Every structure is written in C-alpha cells, then in structure tokens.
Amino acid sequence: MEIAGIGILSWITFLPVVGMVIVLMLPKEKKDWLRWTALVVAALQVVLGAFLFMRFDRSLGGINTESGMQFLEKFSWIDVRSVSWFGRLHIEYFLGIDGISVVMVLLTALISFIAVISSWNIEKSLKGYFALFLLLDTGMMGVFVSLDFFLFYVFWEVMLLPMYFLIGVWGGPRREYAAIKFFLYTLLGSVLMLLAMIALYFSVNVYIDPAGGLHSLAEAARGMGQGWEKIYTFNMIAMMDPGNFVPGSLLAGLDTSMRYLAYGALFIAFAIKVPIFPFHTWLPDAHVEAPTPISVILAGVLLKMGTYGLLRISFPIFPDAMRHFAWELALLGVISMVYGALVAMAQTDFKKLIAYSSVSHMGIVVLGMSSMNTQGLTGAVFQMFNHGTITAMLFLIVGVIYDRAHTRGLNEFGGLMNQMPRYAGAMTVAFFAALGLPGLSGFISEMFSLLGAFQTFRTLTIIGAATIVLTAAYMLWVLQRVFLGPLPEKWKDLTDMNGRETFMLATLGVIVVFFGIYPAPILNLMNSSLNTLAALLQHGAPAAMTGGM
Amino acid sequence: MSDRMLNDLSLFAPETAITLTLIAAILADLIFRRKPILVSAIVLAGFIVTGLLLLRQAGVNASIFSGMVAVDSFAVFFKTIVILAGILVVVFSMESGELNSPGRKLGEYYALLCAAALGMMLMAGASNLLMMYIAIELSSLSSYLLSGYTREAPDSSEASLKYLIYGAVSSGLMLYGISLLYGLSGSLDLATINRALPQVLAGGSAASFTLLIAGVLALAGFGYKISAVPFHFWTPDVYEGAPITITAFLSVASKAGGFAMMIRFFKVTFIDAGAAALPAGTWATLQGFHWVDLVAILAVLSMTIGNLVAVWQNNLKRLLAYSSIAHAGYMLTGVVVLSNEGLAAIMVYFGVYLFMNLGAFYCVMLIADKTGSEDIDEYRGIGARSPFLAVALAVFLVSLTGLPPTAGFVGKLYIFAALINGGWTWLAIVAALNSVIALYYYVRIFRNMFLRAAEPSSARITLSGVQNAALLVLLVPTLLLGIYFSPLVQLAQASVRLFGTP
C-alpha cells in the first residue's frame, strides 16, 4: 500500500514532520497560516486513518506473526558489519499494524485533529507551539506502528522533549514543576525499558538472508538458505518466539528470575505512562498545568501508550512472567480504579478531578488486560479507545469553562444549565459516558473488561466493579455543582459554546454515542488479534504460529 | 638500522607535523607580530595536515622507536579525536571575545595548544612507562599555562595554580607507582612487564599487594587526567577559571589522551595472556590482581558524584565540568567489561562526545561573549533572543543526556549494551539511573532558555556567519549520528586493535 513510493504508515507517521518543517519556514506573524498548516496535516492523517480503517483485513491476527501484520514496511536501516567478534548489528525500519495498533492509530489521528482545533485560540509563540505539537504527533504515531523495538524506543523518546516544552511553555502557573516531573518520571521509565531492550537483544537470535529477510531458528533448522547469517535482533516479532532465545543467554528459558526482572523493568516503564498506582503522581500535576489541547493529547493518546506497550511488548514477549504476575497486575488495576475514584471525589478543581478519573478509568484497562481472555482484552483495548474519546471530551469541557470563567473551582459554579444549554448537553453526554451509562461507549468497554476479569479474578473484580458506583457519585456530583442550583451573579454573562467548541465536542459525542449503540466496527477490527493474543497468553506461543516470521 | 629509523620516522609523521606547526607558530609570531591572524591560520592548517597524515595511518599496527610508541589503529583513533578537537578549538579561539581582547598576544597561546595536542597524541601511543610519563607531563605543563592564559582574570590564575598543584601531586603518585612496577618486573616496557608479572605474582601475597599499590598509584595519574572521582577536585575550578576554549579542549582532548593511555596500560600490562579459552574479543585479568573492581568503583563514584553535584551548580562552566566528570564515569564502565565490545563502546562514546561536548562549550562561549556571564540566570530568555543558538545548545544538552534521536543516545546505547552483554547488569542499572539525574540539571538550562522570559532590556543576540557555520558543523553530526551511526560504529570496532595484543 504505497503513495508516491512511500508506504501509507510512513505517510501517516511522518506527515507531521513535513508539517513541522513547513511551520518552521513560515513567518511567525502569519498565525492563521500556521494554524491551517497544522490542521491540514491533522486532517490528512484522519483521511489516511479512514483509508486504513476501510482496507484493514479483519481476519488477520497479527501479534506474533509477521504474516498477520498489515501494511508492512520493512527495510534495513542500520547495518553494521565489522570485525568478526562483534557480530553484525542489523536494525530494521519495520512498520506494520494489527488489530490492536490500528485502533490506536485511528484514535491518535482523531485526537490530534481535535487537539489542533482546540489549539485555535493559543496566541503565544504559535510557531514553536505547532512545530513541537507536530513532532509530538509523529512520536505518538510512530510508537503505534513500530514493530522493531529499537524504532519503538526512538519514537517513544522523541515525544518526551516536545511534551516537556508544551507543558512548560504554554502551561499554567506551576508549569515548570509539572513539566520537569513529567519528564523525569517518564525518563526513569524509559531508561529501564532501554536496559530491558538491550537484554532482549542479546538473548534473541535469528538468521538473516542476504536479501535482508529474517528467519526464525525453527525455520533455519528446517533448512538453511544460501548465505544465511546468525544475528541478534531488535525485531519484536522474533522476540515473541520462544524458539529464538539463545540457550544460556540472559533471558532464555521460562519463569527465570532474569525474565521476571526484565518484565518488571518494562512494566515500570509502561506503568509510569499509564499511569498505574503507585506511579501516577506525575499525572495530576501535568494535567492541571497543561494547556487544554495538550491535556487532550495527554489523556487521549499518551496514556494509551503505556497500556499499548504492555499489550504489544510485555505480554507477548514475556507471557510466562505475565501469567506469573497476572494477579498482582489485576490488583494494581483495581487499586488504581478505587484510589483514582476516591481521590477524584475529594477534588474541587475541575481539571484535577478529571485527571484522577483518568487514573481510575485506566485501571479498568489494566484489570481487563490482566484477565488473559478475549473478553477482558477486548474490553481493555476498547476502553483505551473510549477513554481516549471520552476524556478528550472532558478536558475540552474543562477548557470551555476555564476560558470563560478563568477558574476551575467546582464550588464556584452553579445553575449554568439554562445559561449554557449546548454546553450542558455536551457535558452530560461526556459524563454519562464516563460513568458507564448503557447506550454510550464507555459502558460496553467496562462491561467487557469486568466480564473478562470476573472469569479470572472474582474477588478483585467485584471490588473493582464497586467503583462504578463511586464514579457515578463523583460524576453526578460535578454535574449537580455546575448546572443545578442558583446561578451566581458573576456568571450571568457567560456565553454558550461557540461553533468551534461545539464542533469538537459534537464530533467526539457522536462517536461516543455511535459506538455505544453499535460497537461492531471497532470490535471487528481487533477481534482476531485479541483472540491470538489471548491464546498466546494462555498457552504460550504455539510452535505452528512462529513459522510465518 | 637506518631503514628501521626512517620507517619509524615515517610512522611518526603526524607528531612531526604538529611539532613543526608548533615551531612555525612561534616563528610566525616573532616575525609577523602585526598579523596575529597569521598564527592562527598556520596552526589551523597544521592541525588539518596532521589530521590528513593520521588518515594515512589507518590499519597500521606497529611499534616504533624501540618499543617506546605504538602506532596502532587504537592510537590513531584517539589521536584523531585529539586533532579534531584541536581544529575545532582553534576555530573557537579565533571567534572568542575573551581571548581576542585588545592588547593580548596569542602567539604563545597557539603554540602551547600545539604542544598540548602533541602531548595528548603521545599519550595515546605511548607503550613504555617512561614515555607515558613524559607524554603526561608535556600535555599537563602546556595545559597549566593555557588555563592561566587570561591572567588578568583572577579565576584564571587560581585555576592554573590549582591545576599545577594537583597535577604535580598526581604525577608524583604515578611516578611512584611506575617505580614500584619497575622494581617488581625489571622493565618499563608494558608488554615485557606483562610477561614478567605471572612470576611476580607467584611470589606470594606480599608481591601481589605491592602490585595492587602500584596499580592504585598509576590509577591516580590516569584518574587525574580523565578527571574521575576521587581525583577530580581540580576539574571544576580549572574548567571555570580557564578560557572557555581551553576548557573545551581539556574536556575532550585531554580526556581522550588519558583514556587511551589508561586503557593501553591496563590492557597490555594487567591482562592474563595465558588465560584459558575465552570468547573471542574478551580477556581476563591477571590471577590475584582484580583491578577491574577498582575501575568499577571509580566509574560508579564518578557518575554519581559528578551528576549529583552538577545539580547544584549555577555557573555553566562548572556545571559542564561536573557533567564531564560524570561522562568519564560512563566511559570508565566500558573498561570494566574487559572486552573489545567495551573498548568499541568507549570509542563510539568519544566520537559523539567530541561533537556534543564541544558544541555545548561553544554555545556557552558565544553566550558568555554576548552577555558577559556564564551564570545560569543569564540564560533566561535566550530562546527568544537567539532561537538558533538556544536550539543548538538544547540539542547538545539532549545529546549529553543521551536521548534519541541524538548521537549521545548511541554512545549510551553501546555502553549499556557492552555492560549487559558482559554480565554487569547492576552497573548498567546504576549508569541508566544516573542519566535520569543528569536530565535534571540539563533541563534547568532548557527551563531558563525557553520557559523564562528575559529582562525586557536585553537585546537580541546575533551570530556571525562563521559562528553559525561552526555551530552547524557541530550540530549536524550530533543529529546525524543519532539516526545513522553505522560509519562511526564501524570505525570504532575496526580500531580496537592494540599493538602487542591478540
């Protein structure tokens, strides 16, 4: 699938970089040109996303087979051959998507588009803002399409610096603190990921043929081709095949303490991003200080990178460790759910409340994925998508009121129902979706997560399910405080949402309602991949599936 | 015999070239007093010629002057680093406002720069204890004078004096270590000592204890040169007081010379040549002398103390001084793994360190020339006052932190890979956590440059064409090597060969 000789995934990933270069060349006085450049790039990403959605083959599983991956792009990126004792370093530029990544790619395109529109009223150093925003966009997309661990890591790190500046320069009063906290937490996680990545690299062997194709050890055992050479690899799919691990290497075998250690290092890296309790403390600060569009990106896409990392890397490469620590994972998920909900209930700052509700809702994802069955995984991935759209709505809603009232204190509002009817409508949809009302998308994903988890961890799931009541409580309480009661004198002049704001919230609202009634289009996308993943988690990688490497 | 001598001399061509440059610089300064630009032009040309002569030595593996100096790909690699740093520092010096103040004569400055470079090149090749000592002294004496060159600045004289005192003490210690080694083995030649040591060690615990003392004392000399903790005390004061150009030169070239010498010393002298079969490209320490643990401790201390103290610095030169101590720590871990992989990792690290560290110092120099200060508070609003300069400095700092897609990441990657593959997982974890600490102080500079506004009175900073070009020359490799690093890695891996070792 190529446009002008370049694969579609490269387009969707690197279009923002092209946009960034254009933005940097434009004069900084032309503010509208800058905005429109970013918007066009984001819109093109949505178009490409729609194209991927239509052409995506729903029957292919992906996960641990290359033949199951779609829209593949693969060529040699770095190839170092030198003195014999070093071996050969071969890193591929390897992109492809399966049922999990396609959902994330769609979400990223959608949320980036909304975030650009939401950035329309930013005035301060617009040129720098959009340049960094577009670089961030490339980083996010790249993470979701990379199938080479090295490439994945580069994209993962590319995001850090733009995010630091976007919070640090365009953020609220405590932006410096929030930005550095975000940066340090994430970097701590990523250096651990780097070490785990290197350990994996030195543990996995494959054969490379002269044309650059990789072959698993099992395949080589069946018959070697001319000029095949044994190399270490960063290829994720090769890492998922237990047969490729070098006997006696660092991570060889099953259920060894080194494997647990590497799994733990990766887990911390991803858990910080999700964030899973107790690694969540950077999140409220970052959210509260970030400007609205960046909060939208942060909650809508960045948090998903953590859970995506678990699904794409930790689980399929370390299914033994995953099984061993599944209960602990579920426990952390439940703690995040309960703790996030309880802390959210105590907040009077609107944005902080939404931030903690994110911790709670991402806990559902973690609980769902720890179940190791298709329902739970479906719930988890669908909840990732839904949390992306719903929380994006919630942060936009906070942004709308903050732009007008310049305060986020929940107790200062009241009686806005008649004052801002359109706003009330959008907020009601978003809040009911967040608390899991049937008929809206959040309900379905929460249902699936809990159903799946119930089969594996009964008690934990029952405790976790109880948080739905807590969520309903704090969400409804917010609605009550903002919309009901007498209207304070000072808010008599608040205007309702303008066209731009209505457009953003209506778009997301339609998606939330649509997938609440008819989730099949999304569920079909991920179904075969999640079946494959569930089978892999429950039984280990079946030998038959590794041949397609 | 004379054929031999001629051959040796032809292999000594780069050193000869830099010596001739030194003489030419002095003469030009004497004869053409009115034209100071001539001296710098001669020195620049001399460095470039030396660099070209070095290129011709690729693949040579020989020992010259009766085993005094080795000419092998390992030495050539480090000499190239020294010469590249020299070329860049000469360019910096031509642009430096600090040095080119009216009334200052720069003839001796450039001559001393050549002498220091010659010393560092000899350090990279010296394979005899006496030669090593002379090389260290040559580079040190020139460096003492250079760091005190702006003598009207009180910091500068203080720096020079401190450097001299610490240098004298540590070279004294090293000399003592050398004499012990000579006493034990009866030779000054590294390879001969290595052959003699097994019998010495067989002599019992007294001998091995003496050897340990000799090793520690020698380590003091090397540790001083590469500014590893606990031999680092001179570094912050000298880096702060010396002219920035010299600080930059010391931080890269002097460190390169020190590392080359130290690696050669340990790898040739204290390796068990008769060890049982090991995987290709790895080696073992002598039975009864585990100097590796010493180096590992030094590495951990350098990384941790360098980074933790850097957090509290407000002067940019001091901050970069502590950061360079930390970087010495990262590089030392490459020695610990006792394999070619570790050596190659150090060399890759030097290849990227050259660009990113010189780049950072160059930005600091430009900013100091324009604002008159190296204080971190003066960096407020630089992002608005000179976007290109600020972005360039940000890239160098990101690279020093070791984040992709910059070259610094590749350096870290190879170091971590060598550690993990060599079984030093705990050291890899320490090094990785240290790079998180490092981020904190580098980010303070970003914060001031981009997140805080400048005083309303401060003007825009404009750079000349040469300055922009020099920044680009440093910036391009820093970014490019992060995305495509095969050439550097290939070069490093081809250069791990030391003369006299398998």
Side-chain angles (χ1 to χ4, degrees):
Chain A
M1 208 63 64
E2 292 184 346
I3 303 170
I6 298 171
I8 188 166
L9 292 182
S10 290
W11 275 110
I12 203 169
T13 307
F14 288 105
L15 258 180
V17 171
V18 176
M20 181 181 84
V21 173
I22 297 173
V23 161
L24 288 176
M25 287 190 304
L26 286 171
K28 68 175 170 209
E29 295 77 31
K30 303 274 186 196
K31 293 197 167 176
D32 275 335
W33 293 21
L34 295 168
R35 294 186 179 117
W36 279 99
T37 310
L39 188 65
V40 168
V41 167
L44 283 174
Q45 276 189 309
V46 173
V47 172
L48 289 173
F51 182 78
L52 287 178
F53 178 78
M54 286 184 298
R55 291 294 184 85
F56 189 82
D57 184 344
R58 272 90 173 148
S59 65
L60 290 175
I63 305 289
N64 63 346
T65 53
E66 189 174 321
S67 53
M69 291 289 174
Q70 305 182 41
F71 305 100
L72 285 179
E73 285 173 47
K74 188 173 177 182
F75 56 83
S76 167
W77 170 24
I78 286 163
D79 194 17
V80 184
R81 272 186 261 209
S82 64
V83 199
S84 61
W85 53 59
F86 283 107
R88 174 173 167 190
L89 174 71
H90 182 82
I91 302 176
E92 287 169 328
Y93 175 82
F94 185 19
L95 306 184
I97 52 175
D98 64 4
I100 302 175
S101 20
V102 72
V103 177
M104 291 299 110
V105 168
L106 295 177
L107 179 70
T108 308
L110 175 71
I111 297 295
S112 302
F113 179 67
I114 297 287
V116 172
I117 302 178
S118 158
S119 310
W120 222 254
N121 57 356
I122 284 182
E123 295 291 337
K124 183 180 171 186
S125 351
L126 209 56
K127 189 170 164 174
Y129 176 84
F130 278 119
L132 290 166
F133 182 94
L134 291 167
L135 185 59
L136 176 69
D137 194 352
T138 287
M140 298 187 301
M141 239 355 148
V143 162
F144 292 130
V145 298
S146 305
L147 290 178
D148 185 278
F149 205 156
F150 190 86
L151 192 62
F152 176 95
Y153 185 79
V154 169
F155 281 123
W156 181 276
E157 295 277 90
V158 160
M159 275 173 351
L160 289 185
L161 211 59
M163 203 64 198
Y164 169 78
F165 284 117
L166 287 168
I167 298 175
V169 178
W170 288 271
R174 284 171 68 245
R175 56 178 183 260
E176 288 183 3
Y177 170 76
I180 183 71
K181 194 167 176 182
F182 163 80
F183 205 163
L184 285 175
Y185 262 75
T186 323
L187 187 70
L188 175 68
S190 47
V191 293
L192 293 176
M193 185 189 337
L194 177 62
L195 297 179
M197 176 178 98
I198 295 170
L200 274 169
Y201 173 75
F202 283 117
S203 303
V204 177
N205 264 167
V206 288
Y207 280 93
I208 183 168
D209 60 32
L214 298 188
H215 306 275
S216 68
L217 298 190
E219 202 179 333
R222 284 196 295 274
M224 294 254 276
Q226 191 80 53
W228 284 17
E229 204 181 330
K230 202 187 226 182
I231 55 164
Y232 292 124
T233 183
F234 284 112
N235 185 311
M236 283 185 201
I237 295 175
M239 289 174 179
M240 292 173 198
D241 180 352
N244 285 339
F245 280 80
V246 187
S249 64
L250 216 49
L251 300 179
L254 287 175
D255 290 299
T256 62
S257 55
M258 273 317 277
R259 276 178 78 86
Y260 290 162
L261 195 66
Y263 179 78
L266 285 175
F267 175 75
I268 291 175
F270 296 133
I272 287 174
K273 206 77 173 188
V274 175
I276 298 172
F277 178 91
F279 305 104
H280 66 283
T281 59
W282 63 271
L283 182 87
D285 290 306
H287 266 316
V288 168
E289 299 308 324
T292 303
I294 301 309
S295 285
V296 168
I297 289 276
L298 194 58
V301 184
L302 250 67
L303 306 191
K304 311 301 171 300
M305 290 171 38
T307 41
Y308 176 79
L310 289 172
L311 288 171
R312 164 73 53 223
I313 294 176
S314 296
F315 290 5
I317 297 180
F318 297 101
D320 49 331
M322 191 272 154
R323 274 193 297 272
H324 188 264
F325 292 111
W327 187 83
E328 286 81 356
L329 185 66
L331 178 70
L332 286 178
V334 170
I335 293 176
S336 299
M337 286 167 76
V338 178
Y339 173 85
L342 286 175
V343 179
M345 198 175 268
Q347 299 304 317
T348 54
D349 181 321
F350 201 163
K351 216 171 178 184
K352 220 169 191 166
L353 182 139
I354 305 297
Y356 277 108
S357 85
S358 268
V359 176
S360 179
H361 282 119
M362 290 307 284
I364 300 178
V365 178
V366 175
L367 178 64
M369 65 171 68
S370 65
S371 71
M372 297 180 282
N373 54 38
T374 312
Q375 278 113 319
L377 289 169
T378 307
V381 177
F382 195 31
Q383 172 75 0
M384 281 156 73
F385 183 85
N386 291 336
H387 178 260
T389 48
I390 295 169
T391 313
M393 280 184 86
L394 294 175
F395 279 112
L396 289 172
I397 282 164
V398 178
V400 168
I401 196 82
Y402 184 73
D403 284 346
R404 285 163 177 69
H406 302 289
T407 176
R408 293 185 303 252
L410 281 172
N411 294 335
E412 295 175 44
F413 295 108
L416 289 177
M417 182 75 89
N418 294 326
Q419 186 79 16
M420 305 169 75
R422 264 185 289 174
Y423 183 61
M427 187 157 155
T428 312
V429 171
F431 272 57
F432 281 130
L435 64 80
L437 191 77
L440 297 169
S441 61
F443 169 73
I444 298 177
S445 52
E446 288 182 21
M447 261 302 280
F448 270 112
S449 299
L450 294 174
L451 269 179
F454 188 72
Q455 297 168 25
T456 322
F457 309 108
R458 286 203 178 190
T459 326
L460 280 177
T461 310
I462 292 168
I463 299 169
T467 56
I468 292 180
V469 182
L470 293 176
T471 311
Y474 70 79
M475 287 287 183
L476 290 173
W477 195 24
V478 172
L479 284 179
Q480 183 193 336
R481 282 185 283 180
V482 174
F483 290 124
L484 307 181
L487 178 69
E489 196 60 32
K490 58 179 172 178
W491 306 133
K492 286 271 190 275
D493 306 325
L494 288 191
T495 50
D496 203 352
M497 295 195 294
N498 60 27
R500 182 175 60 86
E501 291 158 346
T502 312
F503 172 76
M504 294 186 290
L505 284 165
T507 311
L508 292 171
V510 166
I511 291 169
V512 167
V513 174
F514 179 80
F515 288 130
I517 300 164
Y518 186 60
I522 290 260
L523 296 183
N524 288 344
L525 276 182
M526 55 198 183
N527 197 26
S528 14
S529 291
L530 294 179
N531 279 331
T532 313
L533 181 60
L536 189 152
L537 289 179
Q538 283 163 12
H539 314 297
M545 302 190 76
T546 57
M549 238 281 305
Chain B
M1 189 63 204
S2 68
D3 279 359
R4 178 86 193 267
M5 203 65 197
L6 279 178
N7 184 40
D8 285 2
L9 274 178
S10 78
L11 285 174
F12 203 59
E15 284 84 353
T16 315
I18 200 84
T19 314
L20 290 177
T21 312
L22 165 77
I23 296 167
I26 294 172
L27 288 179
D29 184 47
L30 277 176
I31 301 167
F32 307 102
R33 282 251 131 180
R34 304 273 158 86
K35 292 208 169 135
I37 187 76
L38 197 66
V39 182
S40 46
I42 287 175
V43 172
L44 187 58
F47 269 108
I48 292 172
V49 169
T50 312
L52 294 174
L53 289 171
L54 274 175
L55 288 185
R56 288 181 44 215
Q57 293 191 336
V60 174
N61 193 24
S63 178
I64 57 174
F65 303 140
S66 328
M68 278 290 180
V69 178
V71 183
D72 46 24
S73 50
F74 178 80
V76 170
F77 183 92
F78 280 96
K79 285 178 198 170
T80 313
I81 298 281
V82 170
I83 291 301
L84 282 176
I87 293 173
L88 288 163
V89 165
V90 171
V91 175
F92 294 179
S93 307
M94 291 159 84
E95 291 293 319
S96 162
E98 183 185 18
L99 286 173
N100 293 299
S101 58
R104 193 192 309 286
K105 306 250 178 338
L106 285 178
E108 299 97 34
Y109 170 86
Y110 287 113
L112 285 168
L113 200 61
C114 292
L118 175 63
M120 290 159 194
M121 286 168 79
L122 289 175
M123 280 163 76
S127 57
N128 179 295
L129 289 176
L130 209 54
M131 190 65 219
M132 288 167 96
Y133 183 71
I134 292 169
I136 281 205
E137 285 301 303
L138 176 57
S139 82
S140 298
L141 286 171
S142 328
S143 309
Y144 304 149
L145 290 171
L146 283 169
S147 53
Y149 205 79
T150 49
R151 56 181 172 274
E152 70 283 354
D155 284 0
S156 189
S157 315
E158 185 192 328
S160 186
L161 191 63
K162 272 198 178 145
Y163 200 10
L164 175 68
I165 293 170
Y166 277 109
V169 171
S170 63
S171 74
L173 290 177
M174 190 178 173
L175 207 53
Y176 189 43
I178 288 176
S179 68
L180 283 180
L181 261 182
Y182 181 69
L184 283 173
S185 64
S187 171
L188 286 170
D189 180 67
L190 296 184
T192 318
I193 297 174
N194 180 247
R195 281 192 293 276
L197 280 181
Q199 282 153 15
V200 173
L201 285 168
S205 64
S208 71
F209 185 70
T210 318
L211 191 59
L212 179 70
I213 299 285
V216 170
L217 290 171
L219 204 55
F222 302 129
Y224 156 77
K225 266 290 166 202
I226 63 174
S227 53
V229 175
F231 312 108
H232 69 289
F233 289 101
W234 60 276
T235 315
D237 292 323
V238 172
Y239 277 29
E240 187 183 354
I244 303 184
T245 49
I246 295 308
T247 309
F249 190 61
L250 290 180
S251 74
V252 176
S254 181
K255 206 166 269 200
F259 258 98
M261 192 165 72
M262 170 174 165
I263 291 169
R264 187 183 300 278
F265 178 72
F266 280 112
K267 184 172 174 200
V268 177
T269 316
F270 294 137
I271 292 302
D272 187 359
L278 286 166
T282 63
W283 52 84
T285 53
L286 281 172
Q287 290 290 317
F289 181 36
H290 292 290
W291 52 272
V292 170
D293 300 336
L294 285 178
V295 179
I297 292 167
L298 234 58
V300 170
L301 284 178
S302 301
M303 286 189 282
T304 316
I305 293 179
N307 277 326
L308 285 178
V309 180
V311 169
W312 306 102
Q313 301 307 316
N314 287 322
N315 179 297
L316 255 284
K317 274 155 93 184
R318 267 187 109 79
L319 187 147
L320 287 176
Y322 281 107
S323 116
S324 91
I325 294 171
H327 283 280
Y330 297 129
M331 292 189 235
L332 272 177
T333 59
V335 180
V336 171
V337 289
L338 293 178
S339 68
N340 284 341
E341 210 182 342
L343 287 194
I346 296 175
M347 291 156 105
V348 170
Y349 207 103
F350 259 112
V352 301
Y353 184 72
L354 168 76
F355 295 107
M356 62 191 185
N357 210 40
L358 285 182
F361 273 114
Y362 189 48
C363 292
V364 171
M365 178 186 111
L366 290 174
I367 292 171
D369 281 351
K370 308 284 174 177
T371 67
S373 170
E374 291 143 11
D375 195 87
I376 197 163
D377 281 338
E378 291 299 317
Y379 280 64
R380 274 177 304 185
I382 294 283
R385 295 168 67 189
S386 178
F388 179 57
L389 183 57
V391 169
L393 179 52
V395 170
F396 295 132
L397 295 176
V398 168
S399 184
L400 285 168
T401 316
L403 296 181
T406 58
F409 168 64
V410 179
K412 289 259 163 67
L413 176 77
Y414 269 87
I415 290 279
F416 292 169
L419 285 174
I420 288 180
N421 201 26
W424 288 82
T425 313
W426 71 268
L427 200 52
I429 293 173
V430 172
L433 293 180
N434 256 293
S435 60
V436 181
I437 305 176
L439 175 78
Y440 182 75
Y441 59 84
Y442 293 129
V443 162
R444 286 177 66 213
I445 307 173
F446 297 162
R447 185 190 63 193
N448 279 16
M449 288 198 300
F450 296 103
L451 271 54
R452 294 192 172 164
E455 309 278 315
S457 60
S458 48
R460 274 188 74 84
I461 298 174
T462 45
L463 299 179
S464 71
V466 179
Q467 289 168 340
N468 275 325
L471 270 183
L472 267 183
V473 165
L474 292 160
L475 202 52
V476 169
T478 306
L479 286 171
L480 203 62
L481 287 174
I483 302 167
Y484 190 73
F485 46 86
S486 323
L488 176 64
V489 173
Q490 240 146 5
L491 177 67
Q493 294 187 343
S495 305
V496 291
R497 187 102 193 263
L498 278 96
F499 180 79
T501 59

